[in-house]
Amino acid sequence: MTKWSLFYKEDIMPQETFFNLPDNKRNLIISAAMHEFSKNNYKTASINKICKKANIPKGSFYQYFTDKLDLYVYIMSFAIEKKVKFFSDVISKFNTLTMFKQLRLLFVKGIEFAKKYPLYAELGEQFSKEHDELAKSAVIKAGDKQAQSLFMQMICNAKMKGEIDGNVDSFALCLLLKTLNSTVNEYMLEKSGNACCVYSEEELLSFVDSLLKIVFYGILNKT
């Protein structure tokens, strides 16, 4: 992974010195930060604790990151990228599936990701409860670019195959699908109380199918 593979606000990015660190030292900082941000919100997360766990002087931290926000956006973006890579095998199958089945499969893979990478799931759960608007908006801006790219690609392909009306506003549908994704994540947390819980796939798919049917078939009475 390179610094160019992550997305940031222009003024939020780790320093070059961070990317020049040996892999083991850089990974130790990332691991320490992930554990701290998965257990605490942005305001209460401690740079001192991260530095202690990563075995680096606090002065060195500011050679790698401008401030806590810089680190926070990097770590959350790192987690988002990990999830996107996990979906890569699913995306390769998309050409053989309808858009309805593509979305259904994405939600199922999201559950698999939470089970396989519980620390990343805990980060996502903690972020869903974040109240600091500056930190939250910076992360959303970074993550939205990746989610939007995926959904726009799906919409474009579905239009080309004639699955959906070519006159549908692609950007509006993209926003709807991103909101739908967030809704499913919130539903899972409410049902389980824990992002790493073993969910009932049957129950989840029933809920997902209900949401997708509304998106694809509408709510108007057709009788």
Side-chain angles (χ1 to χ4, degrees), residues 2-223:
T2 68
K3 63 179 179 180
W4 306 115
S5 62
L6 296 173
F7 299 91
Y8 305 99
K9 291 170 60 178
E10 286 186 7
D11 57 339
I12 297 183
M13 180 183 287
Q15 304 295 323
E16 190 70 33
T17 50
F18 175 73
F19 296 105
N20 290 336
L21 287 171
D23 288 350
N24 62 335
K25 189 169 184 178
R26 188 171 62 250
N27 290 336
L28 186 59
I29 295 171
I30 291 172
S31 176
M34 287 182 66
H35 278 88
E36 182 67 12
F37 287 128
S38 69
K39 304 299 182 186
N40 302 277
N41 61 34
Y42 174 73
K43 185 176 181 180
T44 59
S46 169
I47 294 300
N48 287 333
K49 289 182 180 179
I50 292 172
C51 290
K52 184 176 181 180
K53 193 163 188 176
N55 195 29
I56 60 170
K58 192 171 182 180
S60 294
F61 172 84
Y62 291 105
Q63 294 178 12
Y64 308 141
F65 300 93
T66 303
D67 51 26
K68 183 161 70 171
L69 181 61
D70 195 13
L71 174 63
Y72 184 71
V73 175
Y74 173 76
I75 291 300
M76 291 300 178
S77 298
F78 183 90
I80 292 168
E81 187 176 71
K82 183 77 170 181
K83 192 170 185 178
V84 170
K85 286 182 178 178
F86 184 78
F87 288 156
S88 61
D89 63 324
V90 177
I91 295 172
S92 67
K93 302 174 185 176
F94 271 10
N95 288 336
T96 64
L97 301 175
T98 63
M99 188 174 180
F100 187 102
K101 290 183 177 179
Q102 289 175 15
L103 289 166
R104 197 173 191 261
L105 187 56
L106 278 180
F107 291 129
V108 172
K109 293 297 287 186
I111 301 303
E112 292 179 16
F113 180 82
K115 293 176 182 177
K116 188 170 183 178
Y117 300 103
L119 181 57
Y120 290 91
E122 289 173 16
L123 270 175
E125 181 179 356
Q126 187 64 50
F127 179 72
S128 71
K129 300 180 286 188
E130 183 57 60
H131 295 300
D132 188 289
E133 290 302 322
L134 176 61
K136 194 162 190 173
S137 63
V139 172
I140 289 173
K141 183 173 182 179
D144 273 0
K145 289 184 180 180
Q146 300 191 56
Q148 184 168 312
S149 176
L150 173 61
F151 286 129
M152 288 297 282
Q153 181 182 351
M154 292 169 63
I155 293 166
C156 180
N157 290 340
K159 284 186 175 183
M160 290 177 63
K161 291 189 290 184
E163 291 179 25
I164 60 177
D165 187 345
N167 294 318
V168 167
D169 186 318
S170 296
F171 183 68
L173 179 56
C174 180
L175 290 179
L176 179 61
L177 294 178
K178 287 194 295 181
T179 302
L180 187 67
N181 184 55
S182 297
T183 299
V184 172
N185 291 334
E186 289 172 6
Y187 170 79
M188 293 188 296
L189 287 174
E190 287 177 4
K191 292 293 290 184
S192 66
N194 190 313
C196 307
C197 181
V198 178
Y199 307 103
S200 165
E201 186 170 312
E202 182 179 350
E203 183 180 14
L204 171 67
L205 287 179
S206 176
F207 177 67
V208 168
D209 284 345
S210 296
L211 292 175
L212 291 178
K213 285 175 182 177
I214 293 172
V215 173
F216 282 84
Y217 306 116
I219 60 175
L220 292 179
N221 189 337
K222 296 177 176 60
T223 58

